[in-house]
Amino acid sequence: MSQEIMKEEIEKALEVLKRGGLILYPTDTVWGIGCDATNAEAVQKIYKLKQRADNKALICLVNNYSMLERHVDNVPKMAYTILDIADKPTTVIYDAPAGIAENLVADDNTLAIRIVDHDFCKRMIRYLGRPIVSTSANLAGKPTPKSFKEIDEVILKGVDYVVNLHRQKNGGNPSTIIKLSNSGGVKIIRE
């Protein structure tokens, strides 16, 4: 894939994200529905599109440790160790998130964040300068699509932009999810 096509797709996605819209995009795991993670109205649109209760938390993607540290008051040292040794995409649930749309923060004041390892996502987040939401491209209660062609028509029509990259490639599996508390607790939520 040419850098020119990548650049074009990033620009189109950024335009939508900056105006509070929703994008459907490839990630390092599965196809995701995303929006600016600091925009509460955009976050609400995702809950509505997925027909999902808004008390069910969503994941945020950041592009590096620096952005992670800007949005978590106190990143436990254990997080760095887990992320450094993880051999597959790993999402960590942190206590006390900061600078994020309130409706993304779970009732127990936690937020699931993954440092994404996908060229398109990393570059898009870097240019946006803020985290983005990433939730699987399925309706609540339905299976997570393993490929672009399995994504429900409701989702395809409900987003403002569908990124035109990697549509032929099958997706991976959802990320591992680990909950780390500032008190030192570690709990595996999803392997």
Side-chain angles (χ1 to χ4, degrees):
M1 174 199 32
S2 81
Q3 289 303 312
E4 192 55 40
I5 292 169
M6 170 83 77
K7 186 173 180 281
E8 237 173 71
E9 288 303 310
I10 289 171
E11 286 170 4
K12 290 175 183 173
L14 286 172
E15 189 181 306
V16 171
L17 292 170
K18 287 176 180 176
R19 69 169 196 260
L22 305 185
I23 63 170
L24 181 64
Y25 64 106
T27 74
D28 52 345
T29 57
V30 297
W31 274 81
I33 303 168
C35 70
D36 176 348
T38 66
N39 182 329
E41 287 176 26
V43 171
Q44 195 54 48
K45 289 180 194 174
I46 289 181
Y47 284 118
K48 186 175 179 187
L49 174 60
K50 283 187 63 112
Q51 301 165 19
R52 182 174 175 160
D54 59 11
N55 63 346
K56 292 200 70 170
L58 301 173
I59 291 173
C60 274
L61 299 182
V62 297
N63 65 339
N64 56 33
Y65 283 130
S66 176
M67 187 176 283
L68 170 67
E69 291 159 357
R70 277 200 309 274
H71 293 285
V72 175
D73 281 343
N74 180 22
V75 177
K77 289 197 183 341
M78 174 68 74
Y80 299 104
T81 304
I82 289 169
L83 294 172
D84 284 344
I85 64 170
D87 58 358
K88 67 181 212 172
T90 301
T91 300
V92 177
I93 300 173
Y94 297 93
D95 288 340
I100 296 291
E102 282 187 25
N103 53 347
L104 264 182
V105 179
D107 293 341
D108 62 354
N109 196 31
T110 61
L111 179 64
I113 301 177
R114 184 165 82 249
I115 298 176
V116 73
D117 187 21
H118 184 272
D119 195 36
F120 170 79
C121 292
K122 285 169 85 159
R123 290 169 62 181
M124 180 178 58
I125 292 166
R126 184 174 73 226
Y127 295 133
L128 183 64
R130 298 185 288 280
I132 60 172
V133 170
S134 183
T135 181
S136 55
N138 60 304
L139 298 170
K142 302 283 185 195
T144 299
K146 294 283 188 198
S147 66
F148 181 80
K149 64 182 182 284
E150 292 178 19
I151 298 172
D152 192 293
E153 197 66 26
V154 173
I155 300 291
L156 292 169
K157 288 181 175 165
V159 298
D160 301 293
Y161 186 67
V162 179
V163 173
N164 193 16
L165 296 172
H166 310 300
R167 291 192 182 178
Q168 306 315 316
K169 210 166 79 177
N170 282 341
N173 293 311
S175 64
T176 296
I177 300 179
I178 298 172
K179 185 171 187 173
L180 290 183
S181 67
N182 286 342
S183 61
V186 178
K187 181 179 181 185
I188 297 174
I189 306 292
R190 178 173 73 198
E191 282 193 56

